[in-house]
Amino acid sequence: MQLFLDTTDVAVLKDLAATGLVDGVTTNPTLIAQSGRPMLEVIAEICGVVEGPVSAEVAAIETEAMLAEGRKLAAIAPNVVVKVPLTRAGLGAVVEFTREGIQTNVTLCFSAAQALMAAKAGATFVSPFIGRLDDHGADGMSLIHDIRTIYDNYDFDTEILAASIRTSAHVTAAAIAGADCATIPPATFLSLFKHPLTDKGLDQFLSDWAKTGQSIL
Ligand code: E4P
């Protein structure tokens, strides 16, 4: 499973990328606004930190304008993935981006029917929003299961990118459901390393080791 960071905080990204476990980055207009920085500058900087896919989202809502914005974003670096909303106009842009060899991430996916249309349009990634579906009273994870079944039934190449992740349990459930990738906020990424029994066990081992008076080196 590929693990992406959902962030525009370059300092945090550099720190977590140093783990060697970050496969890519996703951004969205909200995260760009939170950075307080020019979008093109932030995306270029992120692309210099990670070699994997970096999603940069268009702001336009009409196909032609999305195509113009997407081509500009794709020209920033070879690992830019153009993020497009799951609308009729957005999928029209995805069909053209696919013809042009530009990678796409279709975002704001909330149903299996939408995911089917994204795959037919040739999307590189589709982003089902798990947390927002849960917030809405639905079962976000069942959407991942349904999309996995549909994509496997028809051998679609579109990768399932579990998004709107809130907890480490979301990440593991998405992995069990067969998501190809998950995009994770930095705090949740850090929580993936942790378990209280690991801390407790390590304390005990260190204490017992100190009693031996030994040194390995
Ligand atoms: C995904 O690409 C989005 O940027 C992100 O996962 C949205 O998460 P949120 O619902 O926590 O805003």
Side-chain angles (χ1 to χ4, degrees):
M1 186 188 214
Q2 300 169 79
L3 300 183
F4 299 163
L5 279 183
D6 201 24
T7 189
T8 48
D9 187 327
V10 178
V12 168
L13 170 62
K14 283 181 180 167
D15 176 49
L16 296 182
T19 62
L21 302 175
V22 175
D23 300 301
V25 173
T26 55
T27 67
N28 62 40
T30 303
L31 292 170
I32 294 290
Q34 284 170 6
S35 77
R37 300 178 56 196
M39 178 183 185
L40 300 191
E41 182 186 295
V42 180
I43 297 297
E45 199 174 337
I46 292 172
C47 289
V49 177
V50 294
E51 289 179 11
V54 174
S55 290
E57 187 161 345
V58 297
I61 56 169
E62 301 299 339
T63 302
E64 284 308 316
M66 287 186 198
L67 288 170
E69 289 183 355
R71 290 177 188 126
K72 183 169 180 175
L73 294 170
I76 294 173
N79 54 333
V80 166
V81 174
V82 177
K83 205 171 174 190
V84 173
L86 209 160
T87 59
R88 176 176 166 174
L91 294 189
V94 169
V95 168
E96 179 56 26
F97 284 137
T98 304
R99 277 198 202 106
E100 296 178 16
I102 292 174
Q103 296 199 96
T104 52
N105 174 1
V106 176
T107 189
L108 293 168
C109 174
F110 293 96
S111 76
Q114 288 181 312
L116 172 62
M117 298 305 264
K120 286 187 66 67
T124 315
F125 300 96
V126 67
S127 290
F129 274 40
I130 305 310
R132 292 194 197 187
L133 271 171
D134 289 353
D135 295 346
H136 195 63
D139 176 8
M141 208 51 67
S142 70
L143 177 58
I144 302 285
H145 283 278
D146 290 349
I147 298 172
R148 180 76 281 155
T149 300
I150 291 168
Y151 284 9
D152 288 350
N153 282 350
Y154 297 97
D155 283 334
F156 284 122
D157 292 331
T158 301
E159 295 192 40
I160 303 171
L161 203 182
S164 190
I165 292 278
R166 303 277 161 75
T167 63
S168 60
H170 268 159
V171 178
T172 51
I176 290 165
D180 299 287
C181 347
T183 187
I184 310 168
T188 306
F189 183 88
L190 281 170
S191 78
L192 293 172
F193 291 94
K194 293 189 174 294
H195 194 286
L197 292 180
T198 303
D199 297 337
K200 187 178 172 192
L202 184 57
D203 285 348
Q204 180 73 54
F205 286 155
L206 290 176
S207 157
D208 291 343
W209 177 250
K211 288 176 203 156
T212 71
Q214 297 181 48
S215 164
I216 293 174
L217 296 179

